[in-house]
Amino acid sequence: MLPLPTVHMPSIAIAGTDARFPVRRIFCVGRNYADHAREMGGDPTREAPFFFTKPGDAVIDSGSVLPLPNRTAELHHEVELVLALGAGGSAIAIEDAASKIFGYGVGIDLTRRDLQAEAKKAGRPWDMAKGFDRSAPVGPLVTTRPDAAAEIALSVDGAVRQRGSLSDMIWTIEEIIASLSTYVTLAGGDLIFTGTPAGVGPVARGEGMRGTIAGLPPIEIRVAD
């Protein structure tokens, strides 16, 4: 019989300290910026927030080099504000939601877009398009909340691909937490990716991505040659 495995606890950096934030689960909000909802074929005026997940060990640190994921010819970037929860609960009231946040970071929701399109066409789940290895890069966390109108952007090899404002989010941070907590009981260690502005697109071997939100440390990753 094989011995019991040793399970690694995934974590992300905390700015200004050697401590690391342990990651329990990762939730993502779909189509939370109007322009992105339109570019993906959605209707931002009528669509309620919906969620999908990534495994906790999908996180990687800023500075990482990742191989091009298997089974895709169309790897896409989606820069997002990430919430790191220090506490949780079920059916959290909107007015209590902000008190559950430990910190804030910049993340990139990497997506195998070709697999996602195939899954959508067949009416199947997106899991293998979103929840693959190293699909959730997150920069160092800070405890100070970014300005509500902070710029969010992503560049590939220095060329800006995405640019918007956190004020463009359809659902606020508090509304996202409150809504998600009606589906699952949230807890400390959970991450929430809050959606991406328009301009998502492909990255190729050897290209580097830099995601930024004003007031937060950037996330920088590169796809291996």
Side-chain angles (χ1 to χ4, degrees), residues 161-215:
R161 296 276 191 87
Q162 293 182 265
R163 177 174 284 154
S165 169
L166 297 185
S167 63
D168 296 332
M169 289 198 296
I170 298 169
W171 301 95
T172 67
I173 287 171
E174 289 81 6
E175 289 170 334
I176 291 167
I177 294 172
S179 177
L180 180 57
S181 73
T182 65
Y183 291 98
V184 295
T185 300
L186 297 172
D190 289 344
L191 301 182
I192 304 175
F193 281 60
T194 59
T196 193
V200 302
V203 286
R205 296 182 190 275
E207 291 186 327
M209 292 164 272
R210 188 174 194 269
T212 60
I213 295 175

Side-chain angles (χ1 to χ4, degrees), residues 64-189:
S64 296
V65 177
L66 63 146
L68 186 72
N70 295 331
R71 300 182 70 102
T72 185
E74 197 174 356
L75 179 68
H76 276 207
H77 57 75
E78 300 187 11
V79 64
E80 312 203 7
L81 172 65
V82 177
L83 312 177
L85 300 188
S90 180
I92 298 169
I94 290 177
E95 57 268 24
D96 295 332
S99 69
K100 310 298 183 182
I101 302 172
F102 170 85
Y104 307 82
V106 185
I108 302 175
D109 168 16
L110 292 173
T111 303
R112 294 193 278 205
R113 189 71 73 201
D114 44 357
L115 297 192
Q116 186 186 38
E118 291 170 9
K120 286 181 177 180
K121 185 176 180 179
R124 294 173 179 169
W126 298 357
D127 296 55
M128 294 300 101
K130 288 288 191 177
F132 53 94
D133 298 339
R134 297 175 289 270
S135 62
V138 181
L141 300 176
V142 298
T143 57
T144 302
R145 182 169 177 163
D147 186 85
E151 181 183 81
I152 177 171
L154 183 137
S155 60
V156 176
D157 284 353
V160 177
R161 296 276 191 87
Q162 293 182 265
R163 177 174 284 154
S165 169
L166 297 185
S167 63
D168 296 332
M169 289 198 296
I170 298 169
W171 301 95
T172 67
I173 287 171
E174 289 81 6
E175 289 170 334
I176 291 167
I177 294 172
S179 177
L180 180 57
S181 73
T182 65
Y183 291 98
V184 295
T185 300
L186 297 172

Side-chain angles (χ1 to χ4, degrees), residues 21-38:
F21 183 86
V23 177
R24 178 174 179 258
R25 296 182 295 182
I26 301 174
F27 300 96
C28 306
V29 184
R31 300 176 185 170
N32 195 35
Y33 286 72
D35 286 347
H36 175 59
R38 294 186 187 99

